[in-house]
Amino acid sequence: TGAVLFTDLWGFTGFAESHLPYDVIHALNLLFRHLGRAVDDHDGYVDKYIGDNLMAIFGLGCESAETTCLNAVRAARDMLASLPRVNRYLADYLGGEFRLGIGIAYGSMVTGELGFPLKRQFTAIGDTVNVAARLESATRETRADLLVCNGVVRHLPAESFEPIRSHELALKGKSTPVLAHEITVLPDGPDA
């Protein structure tokens, strides 16, 4: 059991089309440095980069459900907070800006090494991973910065977030709608 976080970089295709390959790689590496630091600061594991997107796993150290979900949403909060700095740099040196959509799901998953024997990688698979990826995609249609599944909200302390609105989403591959929530993650308390 754990939490999976996916990021979705809006506006990247247009940016890539209008910039030199070196500048595209430079901008992505700048962004990934901030996103990866947010994951690492909250005891997560960067699983992979999928083009301009990132997948991270939380709870691999057998933390409680509350700690796992708090770590995931706090990483998302820090990712979103780092975006203005990235965008200021892009505006000053390369033109353009990015917007980030993040989806997080909590639940059962299978973790392990997968792949061709010469290129195996530790990863997670299962419904929780699929839901997180679909929530990340749904940030575009809902215009939300952060969408989390109901399982994440159930495990968060009430003082750690503010609800914005909820959505019943028909996600690809799911036979029933999934309840997702837009939330604002509050600053860590003094005991965090």
Side-chain angles (χ1 to χ4, degrees):
T1 304
V4 178
L5 176 154
F6 276 90
T7 65
D8 182 28
L9 193 58
W10 305 359
F12 178 74
T13 301
F15 180 87
E17 286 175 350
S18 60
H19 289 81
L20 295 170
Y22 174 86
D23 291 334
V24 172
I25 294 295
H26 177 68
L28 277 180
N29 278 330
L30 173 67
L31 178 70
F32 285 147
R33 187 164 48 249
H34 288 279
L35 302 187
R37 184 176 303 126
V39 171
D40 191 56
D41 285 349
H42 295 286
D43 297 326
Y45 169 77
V46 174
D47 178 285
K48 65 178 62 80
Y49 301 98
I50 308 155
D52 57 303
N53 298 334
L54 172 148
M55 173 184 165
I57 306 169
F58 296 82
L60 292 172
C62 300
E63 297 89 346
S64 69
E66 178 180 302
T67 298
T68 297
C69 290
L70 270 173
N71 283 341
V73 299
R74 286 174 172 166
R77 174 200 61 202
D78 291 357
M79 289 176 176
L80 292 166
S82 72
L83 202 56
R85 185 173 172 195
V86 171
N87 281 335
R88 274 193 303 275
Y89 179 88
L90 292 178
D92 289 347
Y93 297 102
L94 298 173
E97 69 174 32
F98 295 146
R99 181 161 175 201
L100 202 59
I102 302 172
I104 303 173
Y106 176 82
S108 298
M109 64 183 83
V110 177
T111 58
E113 296 250 334
L114 290 177
F116 175 65
L118 297 178
K119 179 63 173 116
R120 297 177 72 77
Q121 179 179 332
F122 180 84
T123 193
I125 59 172
D127 188 56
T128 300
V129 178
N130 296 338
V131 169
R134 302 291 186 249
L135 290 175
E136 165 251 290
S137 295
T139 61
R140 287 177 186 256
E141 67 190 62
T142 60
R143 308 305 291 170
D145 293 328
L146 173 60
L147 280 177
V148 301
C149 74
N150 203 46
V152 170
V153 166
R154 275 200 330 263
H155 290 101
L156 291 176
E159 67 277 6
S160 67
F161 74 100
E162 288 181 355
I164 298 172
R165 67 183 159 205
S166 298
H167 306 269
E168 278 206 359
L169 301 173
L171 302 181
K172 182 179 173 184
K174 298 295 289 177
S175 57
T176 58
V178 170
L179 183 58
H181 307 277
E182 286 181 60
I183 64 171
T184 297
V185 184
L186 300 175
D188 301 354
D191 59 344

